[in-house]
Amino acid sequence: MTFHSPLLFRMAMSLSGLKVCPGTSWAVRRVLRLAAPRCVRSSVSLGYRFMSVTTDPPLTADRYGVSRLPFSEVTAQDLNHFQQIIPGRVVTDESYLKSHNIDWLRTVRGHSKVLLKPRNTEEVSQILKYCNERSLAVTPQGGNTGLVGGSVPVFDEILISSVLMNQVISFNDVSGALVCQAGCILESLNRYLGERGYTMPLDLGAKGSCHIGGNLATNAGGLRLLRYGSLRGTVLGLEAVLPDGSILNCLNSLRKDNTGYDLKQLFIGSEGTLGIITAISILCPRKPSAVNVALLGCENFSRVLQVFTLCRDQLGEILSACEFLDSEAMRMVQTHLKLSNPLPDNAFYVLVETSGSCAVHDEEKLNVFLENALDSGFVTSGTVATDESKIMSLWALRERITEALAHDGYVYKYDLSVPVEKLYTLVEETRTRLSTSAQCVVGYGHLGDGNLHLNITAKSHSDTLQAALEPFVYEWTAQHCGSISAEHGLGFKKRDHIYYSKSREAVHLMQQLKHLLDPKGIMNPYKTIPPAD
């Protein structure tokens, strides 16, 4: 049987049920069928703010036994002063503050009594200068989509929201340099750039809610780091306000600037402990004109690794993402979000995305890869999407796992970086260790950079279950030369575990930098860096 039309068009004909014979075209093999997914993704912003579990978690201070540091408490005089700086944008309504005091996973909770909404850098500067003088602790907050408790207060810290700092300042359509305020939503920036033929180098499941300033503050990795690299490499410059109100302007858009220390790197990944990022300059790539996404089924993790190796070898420059999820992760999105899996049940799934500038070229390369993956026995089933709605449907199966898990109960989350060949071993060992004490043990993540997301769900928080997980997970990671935080930061939950990934000398230097820039310790206290001995 011979076809002369392009491979991906032939696949769209859904020719299934044909016997697989040697030399048969991939397009007619029964194991690969383009069953049009029914789960077209919508924005996940609502999912990241409102979870099905409505019971408030205990106060963080009570659950974790944290003692409040000797900061001042907010007075009526303080509120009047803030009203003078940002009239009409000082929020004290308890019902409004509730969602800002709780992380979206509903695992940590503070009790801040005031939220401030500055519109520009100068207002942030005035606020921090006053807070520093009064020894008032502050917590910067963007979209509040963090997973380690870094964006909500532990006690009554003043919340400083970037929600109104959402303006694009400039865009250079020759260099691709975008300059914008820190409160711009990632999805909005991507839409703005898309209209101009460009795209953001960062893509996250929380794109509909997260703020770009928060992305920088946590050094978010995301789904396309394999193609565009880390934020540390794509950020050209930034502007930040220091705890004493000083404005640090490193907001240039040069690709190369070798004059002294690269100060912007101090703030990328600092999680709001050194200052507040107010604006960024980031290098944006051209928007690809040809995008293909394949979802493939594998019978074991060894096959997953073989698929990944084949991806790198045969897709090369057009490979933009390579993700994996296990059967438990797929079950979560099917059960809790009613998304449809277009493939037969498999032990593992690999999502491969290609993006380039020539559809014919990309289809040819994808054709060779898929043929070889099948002929080698690496995959058992698959589907390919080329139009936007089906691409979004396939991506939703991967992007919305975190949201689905939050519907399953209390979630213990571990964001780890380990050698890719060991990526799933920890999941298996954790599953064996916990046996029936957990509802679900899930593993998924980024094959391209060895980033594992290990998630365990239970009906509610359990000290016994947490003791079975920690320090086991961190010790295992350290023994395999990994990192206990690959892309979500340390926040509150992982602060005291930093020594599993950093030497005491390195942590001591971080403490010195923190003290140098924030001697009163007002910036996002109780987070990221453990106190000096």
Side-chain angles (χ1 to χ4, degrees), residues 304-315:
V304 170
L305 294 177
Q306 289 172 318
V307 169
F308 173 54
T309 301
L310 195 65
C311 278
R312 290 185 305 172
D313 290 346
Q314 299 192 349
L315 297 178

Side-chain angles (χ1 to χ4, degrees), residues 232 242-244 248 261-270 272-275 498 502 504-523 527-532:
R232 292 192 182 278
L242 303 183
D244 65 358
L248 177 68
Y261 303 136
D262 191 1
L263 294 177
K264 68 177 181 292
Q265 296 295 345
L266 279 178
F267 297 89
I268 300 174
S270 67
T273 61
L274 300 180
I498 189 174
K502 289 290 186 292
R504 292 198 171 272
E505 292 77 12
V507 174
H508 180 60
L509 182 56
M510 294 179 196
Q511 292 165 338
Q512 289 179 306
L513 288 169
K514 166 73 171 173
H515 182 72
L516 176 66
L517 296 179
D518 184 20
K520 291 189 175 182
I522 67 166
M523 293 302 307
K527 317 284 178 61
T528 308
I529 306 299

Side-chain angles (χ1 to χ4, degrees), residues 59 190 463 501 510 512-513:
L59 288 170
N190 206 48
D463 290 339
S501 296
M510 294 179 196
Q512 289 179 306
L513 288 169

Side-chain angles (χ1 to χ4, degrees), residues 39 45 49 53 117 120 150 168 209 233 264 317 334 338 351 355 397 399 405 458 473 480 496 500 503 519:
C39 51
S45 57
R49 180 53 62 91
V53 179
K117 294 183 176 181
N120 54 54
V168 172
S209 298
K264 68 177 181 292
E317 77 285 354
Q334 290 179 279
K338 307 305 178 186
L351 189 146
S355 55
L397 294 169
E399 287 184 315
L405 287 165
V473 170
H480 291 83
D496 295 329
Y500 286 102
S503 68

Side-chain angles (χ1 to χ4, degrees), residues 20-94:
V20 181
C21 302
T24 303
S25 168
W26 170 271
V28 300
R29 295 179 189 262
R30 180 176 181 274
V31 295
L32 186 68
R33 51 191 173 84
L34 188 66
R38 299 186 297 276
C39 51
V40 177
R41 181 190 67 176
S42 59
S43 172
V44 299
S45 57
L46 290 179
Y48 270 74
R49 180 53 62 91
F50 302 108
M51 290 290 103
S52 60
V53 179
T54 57
T55 304
D56 289 345
L59 288 170
T60 302
D62 294 339
R63 170 176 282 174
Y64 293 93
V66 187
S67 298
R68 187 182 186 277
L69 294 173
F71 297 114
S72 301
E73 295 186 11
V74 176
T75 65
Q77 183 177 355
D78 296 327
L79 296 178
N80 289 334
H81 186 84
F82 293 139
Q83 284 286 4
Q84 294 175 22
I85 299 174
I86 50 172
R89 288 173 278 133
V90 178
V91 181
T92 57
D93 180 76
E94 188 174 334

